[in-house]
Amino acid sequence: MHDPHNERMSGSETRAAGGLALVFAFRMLGMFMVLPVLATYGMDLADATPALIGLAIGAYGLTQALLQIPFGMLSDRIGRRPVIYLGLLVFAAGAVLAAQADSIWGVIAGRILQGAGAISAAVMALLSDLTREQHRTKAMAMIGMSIGLSFAVAMVAGPLLTRAFGLHGLFWTTAGMALLGIAIVGLVVPRSNGPLHHRESEVAGKALLPTLRHPDLLRLDLGIFVLHAVLMASFVALPLSLVENAGLPKEQHWWVYLTALLIGFFGMLPFIIYGEKKRQMKRVLSGAVAVLLICELFFWRFGGSLQALVFGTVLFFTAFNLLEATLPSLISKVSPAGGKGTAMGVYATSQFLGAALGGILGGWLFQHGGLGMVFLGCAALCALWLVFAVTMREPPYVTSLRLPLPPAAARDAGLAERMLKLPGVADAIVVAEEAALYIKVDSEQLDRTSLEREINAAPAC
């Protein structure tokens, strides 16, 4: 029997996944390249204060959080491409506004406008439209990798580009990358046959309330909120610590971030493998949060020398990379059948809100209490998260599947109930309007033949 799961991705699917991963990467580069440089170079701008620098760092998160889910829903109505083009143009306009600014207020306005180009949900939905069921996870993973890679590149490229072209040049580069993203969507990404309604990649209105009431999903939303708040706040203080406490000129900061990111990336891999293979993801998550807390206390107490700051930054990025990779995987495991798209929408909103709060809080704490107060504030946030992380239940080790149903099976009221009796099926829901079955399965226990037999045995009516 021909198994579609052994097929390779088609040429058009590879182009779709590769093209959209590049669009994501360019946009994230533009967001993150200012992180390592704004605290040091931004103080030269008119009206700059530490609190306003913090606001400029986190400002994009406010508009991203507000518009993330509405833009995704708009793309269901008017099409994915118009929303993506509009979002990238708004993002480019924000970068141009920031590039032409002579005061910190202009940079803040530019960052707010950049964030208004909230296209993540529309890009993910277009990816679902252009890839078949059996390759969707692989395509989503390509986008996930592009986000991680763009963050790493941004940490190194930001200081190098700013050294060469100044803060204005950095924002002009960002605007250029947004326009390049438009060209990629227009010329590389294949056309789709129209929106494919798919609960694994879009927000479903009916699933929103259960998602907001789910205790373990809320713990994970708090986690990504704190993680990005701590990241943004730390980058108000860390670049300044390297200059003031360690005497490292701002033009040389790139090698610290490059070292930390490379070691951090390879350092996290054994923990991810251990967590998945041994089914100990809760232990890995709680351990990484504890390491993040220790890092912030270490920066506060021992961050007076270059060696200490480099060591702390390496440890920080090992824990950060591990958490950044682990949290979406846990959302996927914990979310109910057919609720992953909605859970990811709420999760992304929490992430951007965290980034906004972290920048604002970091700048305010620095202005009123100095560098040490920023690190202590971050440590307090990590301690709060740790309390919620250790009280989380061990997540179910399940995979989400979406199976198209024949018409008779889609009308079968008892199908989901019968599915739940099969070994290895943790959750199941039939969405009649999509003629699809969403199930969560433990692949080590699932008997695929019984699953297919149950679907095909649906009574004709």
Side-chain angles (χ1 to χ4, degrees), residues 34 38-60 62 103-112 167 171 232 235-236 240 355-356 358-368:
V34 300
L38 209 50
T40 47
Y41 287 85
M43 288 307 285
D44 297 334
L45 293 164
D47 302 327
T49 65
L52 291 177
I53 291 284
L55 178 58
I57 286 175
Y60 81 94
L62 289 169
S103 78
I104 190 66
W105 294 108
V107 171
I108 291 167
R111 292 282 283 170
I112 288 171
L167 211 47
F171 283 117
M232 295 297 161
F235 270 95
V236 171
L240 291 168
I360 294 163
L361 187 67
W364 187 85
L365 286 172
F366 175 52
Q367 189 159 321
H368 293 90

mmCIF file of all heavy atoms in Angstrom, residues 34 38-60 62 103-112 167 171 232 235-236 240 355-356 358-368:
data_model
loop_
_atom_site.group_PDB
_atom_site.id
_atom_site.type_symbol
_atom_site.label_atom_id
_atom_site.label_comp_id
_atom_site.label_asym_id
_atom_site.label_seq_id
_atom_site.Cartn_x
_atom_site.Cartn_y
_atom_site.Cartn_z
ATOM 1 N N VAL A 34 18.193 45.648 16.803
ATOM 2 C CA VAL A 34 18.389 46.835 17.660
ATOM 3 C C VAL A 34 18.662 46.445 19.115
ATOM 4 O O VAL A 34 19.165 47.261 19.892
ATOM 5 C CB VAL A 34 17.173 47.785 17.613
ATOM 6 C CG1 VAL A 34 16.913 48.275 16.220
ATOM 7 C CG2 VAL A 34 15.936 47.136 18.195
ATOM 8 N N LEU A 38 20.729 49.345 21.062
ATOM 9 C CA LEU A 38 19.927 50.538 21.381
ATOM 10 C C LEU A 38 20.327 51.154 22.725
ATOM 11 O O LEU A 38 20.357 52.380 22.866
ATOM 12 C CB LEU A 38 18.437 50.177 21.365
ATOM 13 C CG LEU A 38 17.466 51.302 20.998
ATOM 14 C CD1 LEU A 38 17.871 52.020 19.725
ATOM 15 C CD2 LEU A 38 16.052 50.770 20.839
ATOM 16 N N ALA A 39 20.656 50.306 23.699
ATOM 17 C CA ALA A 39 21.018 50.833 25.028
ATOM 18 C C ALA A 39 22.316 51.646 24.983
ATOM 19 O O ALA A 39 22.473 52.607 25.732
ATOM 20 C CB ALA A 39 21.150 49.691 26.025
ATOM 21 N N THR A 40 23.240 51.268 24.081
ATOM 22 C CA THR A 40 24.530 51.978 24.022
ATOM 23 C C THR A 40 24.497 53.126 23.016
ATOM 24 O O THR A 40 24.845 54.261 23.339
ATOM 25 C CB THR A 40 25.665 50.996 23.658
ATOM 26 O OG1 THR A 40 25.261 50.188 22.554
ATOM 27 C CG2 THR A 40 26.005 50.098 24.840
ATOM 28 N N TYR A 41 24.046 52.884 21.780
ATOM 29 C CA TYR A 41 24.039 53.932 20.753
ATOM 30 C C TYR A 41 22.863 54.892 20.919
ATOM 31 O O TYR A 41 22.935 56.049 20.524
ATOM 32 C CB TYR A 41 23.978 53.308 19.351
ATOM 33 C CG TYR A 41 25.270 52.647 18.910
ATOM 34 C CD1 TYR A 41 25.547 51.339 19.265
ATOM 35 C CD2 TYR A 41 26.202 53.328 18.127
ATOM 36 C CE1 TYR A 41 26.732 50.718 18.856
ATOM 37 C CE2 TYR A 41 27.382 52.723 17.711
ATOM 38 C CZ TYR A 41 27.638 51.413 18.076
ATOM 39 O OH TYR A 41 28.806 50.808 17.675
ATOM 40 N N GLY A 42 21.742 54.377 21.479
ATOM 41 C CA GLY A 42 20.526 55.195 21.582
ATOM 42 C C GLY A 42 20.663 56.385 22.506
ATOM 43 O O GLY A 42 19.918 57.372 22.371
ATOM 44 N N MET A 43 21.597 56.315 23.454
ATOM 45 C CA MET A 43 21.755 57.436 24.405
ATOM 46 C C MET A 43 22.258 58.713 23.728
ATOM 47 O O MET A 43 22.192 59.792 24.300
ATOM 48 C CB MET A 43 22.707 57.035 25.542
ATOM 49 C CG MET A 43 22.099 56.034 26.537
ATOM 50 S SD MET A 43 20.506 56.512 27.246
ATOM 51 C CE MET A 43 21.009 57.783 28.409
ATOM 52 N N ASP A 44 22.763 58.586 22.472
ATOM 53 C CA ASP A 44 23.210 59.768 21.724
ATOM 54 C C ASP A 44 22.044 60.531 21.092
ATOM 55 O O ASP A 44 22.216 61.636 20.573
ATOM 56 C CB ASP A 44 24.204 59.363 20.616
ATOM 57 C CG ASP A 44 25.468 58.744 21.193
ATOM 58 O OD1 ASP A 44 25.793 59.064 22.350
ATOM 59 O OD2 ASP A 44 26.111 57.928 20.500
ATOM 60 N N LEU A 45 20.852 59.934 21.074
ATOM 61 C CA LEU A 45 19.685 60.577 20.467
ATOM 62 C C LEU A 45 19.147 61.677 21.390
ATOM 63 O O LEU A 45 19.268 61.588 22.617
ATOM 64 C CB LEU A 45 18.573 59.546 20.213
ATOM 65 C CG LEU A 45 18.865 58.476 19.156
ATOM 66 C CD1 LEU A 45 17.872 57.321 19.281
ATOM 67 C CD2 LEU A 45 18.788 59.059 17.741
ATOM 68 N N ALA A 46 18.522 62.689 20.803
ATOM 69 C CA ALA A 46 17.933 63.778 21.600
ATOM 70 C C ALA A 46 16.840 63.230 22.509
ATOM 71 O O ALA A 46 16.099 62.324 22.116
ATOM 72 C CB ALA A 46 17.341 64.833 20.655
ATOM 73 N N ASP A 47 16.735 63.761 23.713
ATOM 74 C CA ASP A 47 15.712 63.409 24.719
ATOM 75 C C ASP A 47 15.848 62.000 25.289
ATOM 76 O O ASP A 47 14.957 61.534 26.009
ATOM 77 C CB ASP A 47 14.266 63.554 24.155
ATOM 78 C CG ASP A 47 13.985 64.965 23.658
ATOM 79 O OD1 ASP A 47 14.529 65.916 24.248
ATOM 80 O OD2 ASP A 47 13.237 65.104 22.668
ATOM 81 N N ALA A 48 16.932 61.302 24.960
ATOM 82 C CA ALA A 48 17.056 59.904 25.411
ATOM 83 C C ALA A 48 17.265 59.825 26.918
ATOM 84 O O ALA A 48 18.067 60.560 27.487
ATOM 85 C CB ALA A 48 18.220 59.221 24.691
ATOM 86 N N THR A 49 16.489 58.949 27.548
ATOM 87 C CA THR A 49 16.702 58.594 28.957
ATOM 88 C C THR A 49 16.665 57.074 29.015
ATOM 89 O O THR A 49 16.132 56.433 28.096
ATOM 90 C CB THR A 49 15.574 59.147 29.864
ATOM 91 O OG1 THR A 49 14.340 58.481 29.501
ATOM 92 C CG2 THR A 49 15.412 60.644 29.741
ATOM 93 N N PRO A 50 17.205 56.456 30.062
ATOM 94 C CA PRO A 50 17.150 54.991 30.141
ATOM 95 C C PRO A 50 15.721 54.447 30.032
ATOM 96 O O PRO A 50 15.492 53.426 29.379
ATOM 97 C CB PRO A 50 17.757 54.691 31.515
ATOM 98 C CG PRO A 50 18.697 55.826 31.756
ATOM 99 C CD PRO A 50 18.030 57.028 31.151
ATOM 100 N N ALA A 51 14.763 55.138 30.658
ATOM 101 C CA ALA A 51 13.369 54.662 30.606
ATOM 102 C C ALA A 51 12.841 54.687 29.173
ATOM 103 O O ALA A 51 12.150 53.755 28.736
ATOM 104 C CB ALA A 51 12.485 55.522 31.509
ATOM 105 N N LEU A 52 13.178 55.743 28.409
ATOM 106 C CA LEU A 52 12.700 55.837 27.019
ATOM 107 C C LEU A 52 13.437 54.868 26.102
ATOM 108 O O LEU A 52 12.863 54.361 25.131
ATOM 109 C CB LEU A 52 12.840 57.275 26.508
ATOM 110 C CG LEU A 52 11.896 58.296 27.169
ATOM 111 C CD1 LEU A 52 12.163 59.694 26.644
ATOM 112 C CD2 LEU A 52 10.429 57.910 26.953
ATOM 113 N N ILE A 53 14.703 54.584 26.416
ATOM 114 C CA ILE A 53 15.436 53.546 25.664
ATOM 115 C C ILE A 53 14.730 52.201 25.850
ATOM 116 O O ILE A 53 14.513 51.442 24.901
ATOM 117 C CB ILE A 53 16.915 53.435 26.146
ATOM 118 C CG1 ILE A 53 17.713 54.686 25.757
ATOM 119 C CG2 ILE A 53 17.576 52.167 25.610
ATOM 120 C CD1 ILE A 53 18.103 54.780 24.299
ATOM 121 N N GLY A 54 14.352 51.906 27.094
ATOM 122 C CA GLY A 54 13.619 50.668 27.388
ATOM 123 C C GLY A 54 12.310 50.604 26.627
ATOM 124 O O GLY A 54 11.950 49.568 26.067
ATOM 125 N N LEU A 55 11.594 51.737 26.563
ATOM 126 C CA LEU A 55 10.336 51.797 25.815
ATOM 127 C C LEU A 55 10.589 51.534 24.325
ATOM 128 O O LEU A 55 9.839 50.801 23.675
ATOM 129 C CB LEU A 55 9.673 53.162 26.019
ATOM 130 C CG LEU A 55 8.359 53.409 25.265
ATOM 131 C CD1 LEU A 55 7.307 52.368 25.624
ATOM 132 C CD2 LEU A 55 7.818 54.814 25.551
ATOM 133 N N ALA A 56 11.658 52.122 23.784
ATOM 134 C CA ALA A 56 11.995 51.911 22.362
ATOM 135 C C ALA A 56 12.318 50.436 22.082
ATOM 136 O O ALA A 56 11.960 49.900 21.032
ATOM 137 C CB ALA A 56 13.182 52.789 21.966
ATOM 138 N N ILE A 57 12.992 49.779 23.032
ATOM 139 C CA ILE A 57 13.335 48.364 22.851
ATOM 140 C C ILE A 57 12.076 47.502 22.811
ATOM 141 O O ILE A 57 11.923 46.620 21.969
ATOM 142 C CB ILE A 57 14.299 47.891 23.975
ATOM 143 C CG1 ILE A 57 15.711 48.453 23.725
ATOM 144 C CG2 ILE A 57 14.350 46.367 24.066
ATOM 145 C CD1 ILE A 57 16.719 48.165 24.823
ATOM 146 N N GLY A 58 11.130 47.772 23.729
ATOM 147 C CA GLY A 58 9.957 46.898 23.838
ATOM 148 C C GLY A 58 8.716 47.377 23.116
ATOM 149 O O GLY A 58 7.736 46.634 23.017
ATOM 150 N N ALA A 59 8.749 48.602 22.546
ATOM 151 C CA ALA A 59 7.520 49.215 22.007
ATOM 152 C C ALA A 59 6.837 48.373 20.936
ATOM 153 O O ALA A 59 5.597 48.333 20.870
ATOM 154 C CB ALA A 59 7.850 50.597 21.437
ATOM 155 N N TYR A 60 7.620 47.689 20.100
ATOM 156 C CA TYR A 60 7.005 46.918 19.005
ATOM 157 C C TYR A 60 6.057 45.850 19.546
ATOM 158 O O TYR A 60 5.074 45.475 18.901
ATOM 159 C CB TYR A 60 8.092 46.265 18.134
ATOM 160 C CG TYR A 60 8.659 44.989 18.703
ATOM 161 C CD1 TYR A 60 8.134 43.754 18.337
ATOM 162 C CD2 TYR A 60 9.693 45.007 19.632
ATOM 163 C CE1 TYR A 60 8.633 42.583 18.882
ATOM 164 C CE2 TYR A 60 10.197 43.850 20.175
ATOM 165 C CZ TYR A 60 9.664 42.632 19.791
ATOM 166 O OH TYR A 60 10.153 41.471 20.332
ATOM 167 N N LEU A 62 3.877 46.001 21.911
ATOM 168 C CA LEU A 62 2.522 46.485 22.212
ATOM 169 C C LEU A 62 1.602 46.307 21.011
ATOM 170 O O LEU A 62 0.515 45.739 21.125
ATOM 171 C CB LEU A 62 2.572 47.971 22.616
ATOM 172 C CG LEU A 62 3.197 48.288 23.976
ATOM 173 C CD1 LEU A 62 3.431 49.782 24.114
ATOM 174 C CD2 LEU A 62 2.305 47.782 25.109
ATOM 175 N N SER A 103 15.498 62.009 17.388
ATOM 176 C CA SER A 103 15.218 61.936 18.824
ATOM 177 C C SER A 103 14.726 60.536 19.167
ATOM 178 O O SER A 103 14.287 59.779 18.292
ATOM 179 C CB SER A 103 14.147 62.959 19.223
ATOM 180 O OG SER A 103 12.863 62.490 18.854
ATOM 181 N N ILE A 104 14.766 60.211 20.438
ATOM 182 C CA ILE A 104 14.309 58.896 20.891
ATOM 183 C C ILE A 104 12.824 58.708 20.618
ATOM 184 O O ILE A 104 12.357 57.599 20.345
ATOM 185 C CB ILE A 104 14.624 58.699 22.402
ATOM 186 C CG1 ILE A 104 14.384 57.239 22.841
ATOM 187 C CG2 ILE A 104 13.802 59.644 23.268
ATOM 188 C CD1 ILE A 104 15.306 56.232 22.239
ATOM 189 N N TRP A 105 12.061 59.828 20.598
ATOM 190 C CA TRP A 105 10.620 59.721 20.340
ATOM 191 C C TRP A 105 10.340 59.207 18.933
ATOM 192 O O TRP A 105 9.400 58.430 18.724
ATOM 193 C CB TRP A 105 9.941 61.085 20.554
ATOM 194 C CG TRP A 105 10.004 61.527 21.979
ATOM 195 C CD1 TRP A 105 10.777 62.528 22.503
ATOM 196 C CD2 TRP A 105 9.297 60.965 23.085
ATOM 197 N NE1 TRP A 105 10.593 62.634 23.859
ATOM 198 C CE2 TRP A 105 9.688 61.685 24.254
ATOM 199 C CE3 TRP A 105 8.369 59.927 23.213
ATOM 200 C CZ2 TRP A 105 9.169 61.395 25.499
ATOM 201 C CZ3 TRP A 105 7.858 59.638 24.474
ATOM 202 C CH2 TRP A 105 8.258 60.365 25.592
ATOM 203 N N GLY A 106 11.151 59.635 17.970
ATOM 204 C CA GLY A 106 10.987 59.151 16.599
ATOM 205 C C GLY A 106 11.265 57.662 16.485
ATOM 206 O O GLY A 106 10.576 56.930 15.762
ATOM 207 N N VAL A 107 12.284 57.205 17.218
ATOM 208 C CA VAL A 107 12.609 55.772 17.216
ATOM 209 C C VAL A 107 11.469 54.978 17.861
ATOM 210 O O VAL A 107 11.067 53.919 17.350
ATOM 211 C CB VAL A 107 13.950 55.503 17.945
ATOM 212 C CG1 VAL A 107 14.180 54.007 18.138
ATOM 213 C CG2 VAL A 107 15.110 56.119 17.165
ATOM 214 N N ILE A 108 10.917 55.496 18.963
ATOM 215 C CA ILE A 108 9.787 54.814 19.627
ATOM 216 C C ILE A 108 8.592 54.721 18.673
ATOM 217 O O ILE A 108 7.988 53.654 18.526
ATOM 218 C CB ILE A 108 9.382 55.560 20.933
ATOM 219 C CG1 ILE A 108 10.485 55.395 21.992
ATOM 220 C CG2 ILE A 108 8.051 55.046 21.468
ATOM 221 C CD1 ILE A 108 10.347 56.325 23.193
ATOM 222 N N ALA A 109 8.279 55.830 17.985
ATOM 223 C CA ALA A 109 7.155 55.827 17.029
ATOM 224 C C ALA A 109 7.411 54.809 15.915
ATOM 225 O O ALA A 109 6.501 54.063 15.514
ATOM 226 C CB ALA A 109 6.964 57.228 16.449
ATOM 227 N N GLY A 110 8.651 54.770 15.435
ATOM 228 C CA GLY A 110 9.007 53.814 14.382
ATOM 229 C C GLY A 110 8.855 52.374 14.844
ATOM 230 O O GLY A 110 8.338 51.513 14.111
ATOM 231 N N ARG A 111 9.282 52.088 16.066
ATOM 232 C CA ARG A 111 9.182 50.721 16.607
ATOM 233 C C ARG A 111 7.711 50.319 16.809
ATOM 234 O O ARG A 111 7.338 49.172 16.563
ATOM 235 C CB ARG A 111 9.932 50.622 17.935
ATOM 236 C CG ARG A 111 11.433 50.755 17.818
ATOM 237 C CD ARG A 111 12.102 49.483 17.325
ATOM 238 N NE ARG A 111 12.205 48.479 18.380
ATOM 239 C CZ ARG A 111 12.579 47.218 18.166
ATOM 240 N NH1 ARG A 111 12.844 46.820 16.939
ATOM 241 N NH2 ARG A 111 12.679 46.360 19.163
ATOM 242 N N ILE A 112 6.882 51.277 17.254
ATOM 243 C CA ILE A 112 5.451 50.979 17.422
ATOM 244 C C ILE A 112 4.834 50.641 16.063
ATOM 245 O O ILE A 112 4.059 49.692 15.931
ATOM 246 C CB ILE A 112 4.720 52.165 18.100
ATOM 247 C CG1 ILE A 112 5.125 52.243 19.586
ATOM 248 C CG2 ILE A 112 3.210 52.046 17.958
ATOM 249 C CD1 ILE A 112 4.633 53.489 20.300
ATOM 250 N N LEU A 167 23.096 53.946 13.831
ATOM 251 C CA LEU A 167 21.743 53.481 14.142
ATOM 252 C C LEU A 167 20.788 53.731 12.972
ATOM 253 O O LEU A 167 19.925 52.896 12.668
ATOM 254 C CB LEU A 167 21.245 54.218 15.400
ATOM 255 C CG LEU A 167 20.285 53.483 16.332
ATOM 256 C CD1 LEU A 167 20.741 52.071 16.650
ATOM 257 C CD2 LEU A 167 20.094 54.279 17.622
ATOM 258 N N PHE A 171 18.403 50.858 10.743
ATOM 259 C CA PHE A 171 16.968 50.898 10.434
ATOM 260 C C PHE A 171 16.710 50.894 8.922
ATOM 261 O O PHE A 171 15.736 50.296 8.459
ATOM 262 C CB PHE A 171 16.313 52.114 11.101
ATOM 263 C CG PHE A 171 16.073 51.922 12.576
ATOM 264 C CD1 PHE A 171 16.715 52.731 13.514
ATOM 265 C CD2 PHE A 171 15.215 50.938 13.037
ATOM 266 C CE1 PHE A 171 16.494 52.561 14.879
ATOM 267 C CE2 PHE A 171 14.987 50.756 14.400
ATOM 268 C CZ PHE A 171 15.628 51.566 15.324
ATOM 269 N N MET A 232 14.199 41.319 27.098
ATOM 270 C CA MET A 232 14.213 42.748 26.762
ATOM 271 C C MET A 232 14.822 43.585 27.894
ATOM 272 O O MET A 232 15.628 44.485 27.650
ATOM 273 C CB MET A 232 12.792 43.244 26.462
ATOM 274 C CG MET A 232 12.180 42.620 25.236
ATOM 275 S SD MET A 232 13.091 43.032 23.725
ATOM 276 C CE MET A 232 12.509 41.755 22.639
ATOM 277 N N PHE A 235 18.542 43.270 28.093
ATOM 278 C CA PHE A 235 19.266 43.988 27.045
ATOM 279 C C PHE A 235 19.193 45.505 27.197
ATOM 280 O O PHE A 235 19.753 46.232 26.395
ATOM 281 C CB PHE A 235 18.841 43.517 25.653
ATOM 282 C CG PHE A 235 19.694 42.379 25.192
ATOM 283 C CD1 PHE A 235 19.281 41.072 25.374
ATOM 284 C CD2 PHE A 235 20.945 42.602 24.656
ATOM 285 C CE1 PHE A 235 20.084 40.018 24.990
ATOM 286 C CE2 PHE A 235 21.765 41.558 24.270
ATOM 287 C CZ PHE A 235 21.325 40.261 24.439
ATOM 288 N N VAL A 236 18.484 45.969 28.232
ATOM 289 C CA VAL A 236 18.656 47.363 28.631
ATOM 290 C C VAL A 236 19.956 47.467 29.436
ATOM 291 O O VAL A 236 20.726 48.419 29.312
ATOM 292 C CB VAL A 236 17.458 47.853 29.480
ATOM 293 C CG1 VAL A 236 17.737 49.231 30.067
ATOM 294 C CG2 VAL A 236 16.178 47.898 28.631
ATOM 295 N N LEU A 240 25.148 47.868 28.577
ATOM 296 C CA LEU A 240 25.730 48.936 29.394
ATOM 297 C C LEU A 240 26.720 48.374 30.415
ATOM 298 O O LEU A 240 27.734 48.995 30.713
ATOM 299 C CB LEU A 240 24.619 49.719 30.100
ATOM 300 C CG LEU A 240 23.727 50.567 29.169
ATOM 301 C CD1 LEU A 240 22.496 51.064 29.903
ATOM 302 C CD2 LEU A 240 24.500 51.748 28.584
ATOM 303 N N ALA A 355 7.526 41.156 25.838
ATOM 304 C CA ALA A 355 8.602 41.980 25.266
ATOM 305 C C ALA A 355 8.354 43.465 25.557
ATOM 306 O O ALA A 355 9.277 44.203 25.923
ATOM 307 C CB ALA A 355 8.681 41.753 23.754
ATOM 308 N N ALA A 356 7.088 43.892 25.421
ATOM 309 C CA ALA A 356 6.754 45.297 25.684
ATOM 310 C C ALA A 356 6.998 45.643 27.150
ATOM 311 O O ALA A 356 7.669 46.631 27.464
ATOM 312 C CB ALA A 356 5.291 45.564 25.303
ATOM 313 N N GLY A 358 8.867 44.071 29.329
ATOM 314 C CA GLY A 358 10.277 43.924 29.695
ATOM 315 C C GLY A 358 11.106 45.139 29.341
ATOM 316 O O GLY A 358 11.907 45.619 30.148
ATOM 317 N N GLY A 359 10.902 45.667 28.118
ATOM 318 C CA GLY A 359 11.639 46.864 27.714
ATOM 319 C C GLY A 359 11.303 48.054 28.602
ATOM 320 O O GLY A 359 12.185 48.758 29.105
ATOM 321 N N ILE A 360 9.994 48.255 28.819
ATOM 322 C CA ILE A 360 9.539 49.409 29.631
ATOM 323 C C ILE A 360 10.041 49.273 31.074
ATOM 324 O O ILE A 360 10.589 50.218 31.651
ATOM 325 C CB ILE A 360 7.993 49.513 29.584
ATOM 326 C CG1 ILE A 360 7.533 49.857 28.156
ATOM 327 C CG2 ILE A 360 7.485 50.544 30.578
ATOM 328 C CD1 ILE A 360 6.068 49.604 27.888
ATOM 329 N N LEU A 361 9.860 48.066 31.655
ATOM 330 C CA LEU A 361 10.264 47.830 33.045
ATOM 331 C C LEU A 361 11.780 47.947 33.213
ATOM 332 O O LEU A 361 12.275 48.561 34.171
ATOM 333 C CB LEU A 361 9.783 46.444 33.488
ATOM 334 C CG LEU A 361 9.973 46.083 34.959
ATOM 335 C CD1 LEU A 361 9.096 46.952 35.843
ATOM 336 C CD2 LEU A 361 9.677 44.608 35.203
ATOM 337 N N GLY A 362 12.523 47.375 32.251
ATOM 338 C CA GLY A 362 13.988 47.425 32.312
ATOM 339 C C GLY A 362 14.502 48.857 32.302
ATOM 340 O O GLY A 362 15.371 49.231 33.109
ATOM 341 N N GLY A 363 13.957 49.677 31.404
ATOM 342 C CA GLY A 363 14.370 51.085 31.322
ATOM 343 C C GLY A 363 14.022 51.859 32.588
ATOM 344 O O GLY A 363 14.825 52.640 33.103
ATOM 345 N N TRP A 364 12.813 51.602 33.116
ATOM 346 C CA TRP A 364 12.365 52.311 34.316
ATOM 347 C C TRP A 364 13.224 51.918 35.527
ATOM 348 O O TRP A 364 13.647 52.784 36.305
ATOM 349 C CB TRP A 364 10.886 51.979 34.567
ATOM 350 C CG TRP A 364 10.284 52.786 35.677
ATOM 351 C CD1 TRP A 364 9.735 54.037 35.592
ATOM 352 C CD2 TRP A 364 10.191 52.399 37.060
ATOM 353 N NE1 TRP A 364 9.294 54.448 36.829
ATOM 354 C CE2 TRP A 364 9.561 53.472 37.753
ATOM 355 C CE3 TRP A 364 10.567 51.269 37.779
ATOM 356 C CZ2 TRP A 364 9.311 53.429 39.117
ATOM 357 C CZ3 TRP A 364 10.322 51.222 39.146
ATOM 358 C CH2 TRP A 364 9.696 52.290 39.807
ATOM 359 N N LEU A 365 13.486 50.607 35.676
ATOM 360 C CA LEU A 365 14.303 50.138 36.811
ATOM 361 C C LEU A 365 15.728 50.696 36.732
ATOM 362 O O LEU A 365 16.310 51.079 37.744
ATOM 363 C CB LEU A 365 14.342 48.601 36.844
ATOM 364 C CG LEU A 365 13.065 47.898 37.327
ATOM 365 C CD1 LEU A 365 13.178 46.386 37.130
ATOM 366 C CD2 LEU A 365 12.778 48.210 38.791
ATOM 367 N N PHE A 366 16.273 50.761 35.504
ATOM 368 C CA PHE A 366 17.633 51.283 35.349
ATOM 369 C C PHE A 366 17.686 52.758 35.723
ATOM 370 O O PHE A 366 18.596 53.211 36.411
ATOM 371 C CB PHE A 366 18.124 51.058 33.912
ATOM 372 C CG PHE A 366 19.466 51.677 33.641
ATOM 373 C CD1 PHE A 366 20.551 51.412 34.467
ATOM 374 C CD2 PHE A 366 19.657 52.536 32.572
ATOM 375 C CE1 PHE A 366 21.795 51.995 34.228
ATOM 376 C CE2 PHE A 366 20.895 53.116 32.314
ATOM 377 C CZ PHE A 366 21.965 52.842 33.161
ATOM 378 N N GLN A 367 16.668 53.500 35.268
ATOM 379 C CA GLN A 367 16.656 54.940 35.539
ATOM 380 C C GLN A 367 16.538 55.225 37.045
ATOM 381 O O GLN A 367 17.124 56.172 37.554
ATOM 382 C CB GLN A 367 15.495 55.603 34.784
ATOM 383 C CG GLN A 367 15.543 57.128 34.839
ATOM 384 C CD GLN A 367 14.749 57.755 33.709
ATOM 385 O OE1 GLN A 367 14.755 57.266 32.592
ATOM 386 N NE2 GLN A 367 14.058 58.840 33.993
ATOM 387 N N HIS A 368 15.800 54.375 37.757
ATOM 388 C CA HIS A 368 15.529 54.644 39.162
ATOM 389 C C HIS A 368 16.397 53.860 40.138
ATOM 390 O O HIS A 368 16.439 54.192 41.323
ATOM 391 C CB HIS A 368 14.044 54.400 39.468
ATOM 392 C CG HIS A 368 13.146 55.392 38.795
ATOM 393 N ND1 HIS A 368 12.626 55.176 37.545
ATOM 394 C CD2 HIS A 368 12.707 56.619 39.181
ATOM 395 C CE1 HIS A 368 11.894 56.228 37.190
ATOM 396 N NE2 HIS A 368 11.920 57.115 38.166
#
